[in-house]
Amino acid sequence: MHTSIVRHRRLRRTAGIRNLVRETRLHVHDLIMPIFVAHGDDVKTEISSMPGVYNLSLDRLDEEIAEIVSLGIQAVLLFGIPASKDSVGTGAYAEDGIVQQATRKIKKLAPDLVVIADTCLCEFTDHGHCGVVHEGDCGAVVDNDESLALLVRTAVSQARAGADIIAPSNMMDGFVGAIRQGLDEAGFEDIPIMSYAVKYSSAYYGPFREAAQSAPKFGDRKTYQMDAANAREALREAETDVGEGADMLMVKPGLAYLDIVRLLKERYDLPLVVYNVSAEYAMVKAAAMQGWIDERAIVLETLTGMKRAGADLIITYHAKDAVRWMNGQ
């Protein structure tokens, strides 16, 4: 008896057929563009390890925001580089802090653009850690609970400046619950929290630390960010944040942690965000500049893979280029 060959290729035969049966689609509304805002005038300094990404002063935000809006990107993630730093990150929660000023300006320039404020102290502390540091029996340690109070002040000041979403990235225990309570008590019950719920202590952050000038001056962040070898721990972290009132969950970094993205997608029904981080961007850019890869094809395949793994939203430095490529430019 003749056995027919199962011909899977029938549904791959033409571009039209492939489009009809495509399971995962990347859309402009899936993408969030990070922005680095710095003090000064007429500053547009390219980050050496991240070609095409810049530190921008407030007076240069207009052109960046106009470009983002023209492409149809609906959200930005704000990072700030202050004029000065101190041991307790005062610039993070100052009413005239760089992120607060940038938020107010962006909301005037583009009221409908969603402004997401990164809520951490590392860019504002002179030691580069994400909280208050004290000397302990085993050397300098980050004081979890004292740091929470300052993170709450930061979140409230960002919401007061007009941020649409608070995105705490500090990985202190109890940070979502503390920030939720602080926002509610300040009258910001409607401001959602996009929690960096699963943030690994990763080598993939190197170029970001150049951009944000936030590298630790001593030690590392392994005592509060997650061990790259752990998966079950990610579920515990996410479960805690869900219980404390997170509105969205994030996995950071992206490429090496897509198994974690799938774990969270299958377990929780909150919107899931993936951060396509700085080294992932830098490696693609470096290889493309050498002519070793097709940048457009690699980027779109990577972002589609993140969506396929379960991401609802992707924070990516490729956002503007990705939209142009999706539009056939």
Side-chain angles (χ1 to χ4, degrees):
M1 179 182 295
H2 175 69
T3 302
S4 297
I5 296 174
V6 177
R7 298 192 182 276
H8 300 289
R9 291 173 56 185
R10 290 173 185 144
L11 298 182
R12 304 170 190 155
R13 188 168 54 86
T14 68
I17 293 174
R18 293 192 297 273
N19 287 337
L20 286 173
V21 300
R22 182 158 293 141
E23 300 171 20
T24 305
R25 297 185 186 276
L26 190 64
H27 192 276
V28 60
H29 294 170
D30 302 329
L31 305 178
I32 298 167
M33 181 70 195
I35 298 179
F36 297 97
V37 186
H39 276 281
D41 297 313
D42 196 26
V43 175
K44 186 176 182 180
T45 305
E46 188 171 40
I47 299 157
S48 63
S49 56
M50 300 174 68
V53 179
Y54 298 85
N55 283 337
L56 299 166
S57 54
L58 291 168
D59 58 337
R60 297 297 298 269
L61 272 180
D62 304 54
E63 55 194 282
E64 178 74 3
I65 297 305
E67 182 182 18
I68 287 168
V69 170
S70 71
L71 290 168
I73 296 169
Q74 297 200 323
V76 295
L77 175 61
L78 274 187
F79 297 98
I81 300 94
S84 61
K85 305 185 180 191
D86 58 31
S87 62
V88 292
T90 303
Y93 42 88
E95 292 302 316
D96 62 348
I98 189 65
V99 169
Q100 289 79 358
Q101 291 186 61
T103 299
R104 294 187 187 100
K105 177 156 189 177
I106 291 171
K107 295 308 288 186
K108 288 181 180 178
L109 291 170
D112 294 331
L113 186 65
V114 176
V115 174
I116 305 168
D118 178 81
T119 306
C120 194
L121 302 182
C122 63
E123 298 138 63
F124 303 90
T125 56
D126 53 15
H127 47 71
H129 281 282
C130 302
V132 179
V133 172
H134 292 307
E135 287 295 327
D137 295 337
C138 300
V141 295
V142 176
D143 187 308
N144 189 93
D145 295 1
E146 189 174 343
S147 301
L148 289 179
L150 299 183
L151 291 164
V152 170
R153 289 181 63 182
T154 302
V156 171
S157 72
Q158 291 169 337
R160 189 176 292 122
D164 298 289
I165 297 173
I166 298 299
S169 60
N170 53 86
M171 288 298 283
M172 297 295 112
D173 289 336
F175 70 101
V176 172
I179 289 172
R180 181 72 274 157
Q181 181 179 348
L183 289 172
D184 291 353
E185 290 176 352
F188 297 109
E189 301 92 341
D190 293 335
I191 299 298
I193 295 175
M194 176 190 288
S195 172
Y196 285 68
V198 180
K199 182 179 179 181
Y200 285 89
S201 180
S202 172
Y204 282 93
Y205 304 150
F208 173 91
R209 291 176 180 172
E210 177 198 345
Q213 302 171 19
S214 63
K217 295 295 189 295
F218 59 87
D220 53 41
R221 296 175 180 159
K222 293 182 184 295
T223 60
Y224 48 99
Q225 294 178 357
M226 287 179 52
D227 186 335
N230 292 354
R232 294 193 302 272
E233 184 183 2
L235 295 177
R236 297 196 298 272
E237 287 278 2
E239 183 73 25
T240 299
D241 288 5
V242 170
E244 292 182 5
D247 300 283
M248 307 179 192
L249 300 174
M250 188 191 301
V251 174
K252 180 182 181 184
L255 273 178
Y257 300 90
L258 294 184
D259 60 320
I260 308 301
V261 175
R262 174 51 58 184
L263 278 177
L264 264 63
K265 187 68 171 181
E266 292 174 348
R267 182 72 63 94
Y268 304 105
D269 58 5
L270 294 180
L272 184 55
V273 186
V274 171
Y275 201 142
N276 178 212
V277 297
S278 59
E280 296 168 4
Y281 174 90
M283 290 188 295
V284 169
K285 281 290 182 183
M289 290 168 70
Q290 292 294 323
W292 294 337
I293 61 171
D294 179 336
E295 182 181 6
R296 174 187 180 278
I298 288 284
V299 170
L300 294 181
E301 182 176 340
T302 298
L303 299 179
T304 300
M306 291 176 174
K307 283 215 70 180
R308 190 184 65 247
D312 298 297
L313 299 169
I314 304 171
I315 301 167
T316 178
Y317 304 96
H318 294 291
K320 293 188 293 184
D321 283 339
V323 173
R324 293 188 183 97
W325 292 329
M326 287 189 287
N327 291 337
Q329 299 176 27

